[in-house]
Amino acid sequence: MVCQANNSTPAQLGYRFPAEWTLHRATWLSWPRPEGVSFPGRYDDIVETFFTLVRLLGAVERVEINVPDERWQRDVIRELNRRDIALDPVGFHRIGTDESWCRDHGPAFVVRQTSELAVVDWDFNAWGGKYPRYQRDDAVPTHIARNRHLPLFLPGIVMEGGAIEVNGQGVLLTSESCLLNPNRNPQLSRQQIEQYLKDYYGQQKIVWLGEGIVGDDTDGHVDDFARFVDARTIVLATENDPADENHAILRDNRRRLELARAEDGRPFRIVDLPMPPALYQHKQRLPASYANFYFCNGGLLVPTYNSAQSDQAALEILGQLLPGRKIIGVDCSHLIWGLGAIHCVTQQEPLV
């Protein structure tokens, strides 16, 4: 059922995009392919990170995996068995993808108070046309909605999941460098983009940040540097070295957050989260950040980068902020070669 036929938006029908920390029915993954452009020569390392994610996530919620075909499904099952990873919580869907960044091409699940679930299928153009193949990625949300017999909303504009962050109380964070980039929706003004965010994510207030961190080929996804950990607390990636390229960028975003207000007019609590030491691939700066974490049921999966001091500092800060959750570090030193980390490859489905 495509709900756009009656010209009603999700917000008008009572749907909203919930905070990530609300209970999940499942986490969705799109299994990487060796012929993809994201991990040239690193596929074997990357899939080990995916197996780790399946093991950790499957202990607390279902894991739904998109695979191209039956052969891929058999191969993944064989490797899960070989690693003694439980299959009971794992489901497979024969939905082919071009790359594995499910945060950006996956379904945006919205809910309403009557405990109903729907899917928003934004257009996807490979982060402003940076990569040649993205048609299969673009079709993923529609396939999932139809397979699950869920209402489907089609806004008709480009948007990626990593470009936004919500607090569950009507406030949405995003960045000018991404959503105002002419390679996404050049026909839309800032005001028009804000209206789409309100209409399709069910939010009331949009907070605009500036640029994203260096090396991020998404043009500055907010999930790499500013994240809500509760309705009033934002962790902000912070670089204390004035000589580092990210120092001025992140200071500007702190200034913007200090000026921002919640729906009730009160300021947010801003907590600094250290950046890891700079990582490079063939002289290219990688967008390594501890802010690219993912909430799962009862836990928080945090990317680490084999930097003992900064890894531990980030885990401790997040543990202090979230004492009721198990904080789990996941080595992303290989995954970051594809210019993303844990949040980038996951997409939550809320429990309704």
Side-chain angles (χ1 to χ4, degrees):
M1 176 175 63
V2 179
C3 291
Q4 288 309 103
N6 60 14
N7 295 319
S8 296
T9 67
Q12 290 170 334
L13 296 175
Y15 289 97
R16 64 181 179 84
F17 188 73
E20 193 175 297
W21 53 79
T22 58
L23 281 176
H24 299 175
R25 188 197 76 87
T27 293
W28 287 77
L29 304 173
S30 293
W31 205 257
R33 302 176 306 118
E35 62 268 31
V37 301
S38 296
F39 309 107
R42 287 271 177 140
Y43 178 77
D44 291 341
D45 296 324
I46 297 310
V47 291
E48 288 304 323
T49 306
F50 274 76
F51 287 125
T52 297
L53 291 175
V54 175
R55 184 194 303 277
L56 293 171
L57 291 165
V60 294
E61 58 192 78
R62 283 196 59 79
V63 183
E64 307 287 3
I65 303 175
N66 296 320
V67 292
D69 52 38
E70 183 180 1
R71 179 185 67 82
W72 270 98
Q73 180 174 330
R74 290 197 307 266
D75 289 348
V76 174
I77 289 174
R78 182 188 67 244
E79 294 303 313
L80 290 171
N81 282 325
R82 193 165 70 85
R83 292 164 175 80
D84 294 321
I85 298 173
L87 289 174
D88 288 347
V90 180
F92 290 90
H93 305 266
R94 292 173 193 171
I95 299 174
T97 61
D98 300 296
E99 301 299 328
S100 55
W101 309 111
C102 197
R103 175 62 47 183
D104 292 340
H105 67 235
F109 290 101
V110 290
V111 299
R112 60 180 174 182
Q113 291 180 349
T114 51
S115 299
E116 296 175 0
L117 193 67
V119 167
V120 178
D121 182 358
W122 302 97
D123 290 351
F124 178 75
N125 72 348
W127 309 282
K130 292 185 175 66
Y131 302 99
R133 295 184 56 175
Y134 56 82
Q135 288 75 20
R136 292 197 299 179
D137 286 348
D138 185 35
V140 168
T142 290
H143 285 312
I144 292 172
R146 288 175 177 168
N147 291 350
R148 294 281 302 280
H149 306 290
L150 295 174
L152 177 67
F153 295 94
L154 300 169
I157 73 165
V158 173
M159 188 77 61
E160 300 114 32
I164 65 99
E165 174 77 1
V166 304
N167 73 342
Q169 298 294 324
V171 179
L172 181 148
L173 303 179
T174 191
S175 63
E176 294 173 345
S177 62
C178 178
L179 290 197
L180 299 186
N181 195 306
N183 63 14
R184 299 305 204 278
N185 300 292
Q187 77 281 12
L188 298 180
S189 67
R190 178 194 295 253
Q191 184 178 9
Q192 289 171 318
I193 291 172
E194 283 198 7
Q195 196 60 53
Y196 272 98
L197 294 171
K198 293 175 179 178
D199 287 344
Y200 286 87
Y201 281 125
Q203 306 301 302
Q204 286 79 52
K205 184 166 187 176
I206 312 302
V207 175
W208 289 90
L209 301 180
E211 295 182 40
I213 61 175
V214 176
D216 180 5
D217 65 340
T218 69
D219 301 307
H221 275 184
V222 73
D223 69 351
D224 265 337
F225 64 92
R227 303 288 307 281
F228 284 109
V229 293
D230 62 43
R232 304 203 67 86
T233 305
I234 300 169
V235 292
L236 175 68
T238 303
E239 177 53 65
N240 292 323
D241 181 2
D244 190 285
E245 298 171 279
N246 283 316
H247 177 75
I249 291 171
L250 296 172
R251 279 181 62 88
D252 174 65
N253 283 317
R254 168 170 271 281
R255 178 187 61 80
R256 291 169 182 254
L257 285 175
E258 288 170 347
L259 295 173
R261 294 293 181 268
E263 272 294 285
D264 59 7
R266 296 167 58 196
F268 294 103
R269 177 191 180 197
I270 305 167
V271 177
D272 291 334
L273 192 65
M275 287 286 283
L279 296 177
Y280 292 87
Q281 171 185 256
H282 307 309
K283 299 183 179 180
Q284 177 187 357
R285 178 77 178 260
L286 301 175
S289 167
Y290 298 114
N292 203 257
F293 52 71
Y294 177 67
F295 282 93
C296 59
N297 288 343
L300 187 76
L301 305 184
V302 184
T304 59
Y305 302 99
N306 289 325
S307 174
Q309 184 174 353
S310 62
D311 288 355
Q312 187 60 34
L315 294 173
E316 288 179 358
I317 289 169
L318 292 166
Q320 291 166 5
L321 292 171
L322 299 164
R325 288 185 175 269
K326 186 175 182 180
I327 309 300
I328 304 171
V330 178
D331 181 9
C332 289
S333 54
H334 294 298
L335 188 59
I336 197 63
W337 275 59
L339 309 182
I342 299 171
H343 199 250
C344 299
V345 298
T346 52
Q347 180 64 257
Q348 70 274 7
E349 179 183 338
L351 179 67
V352 296

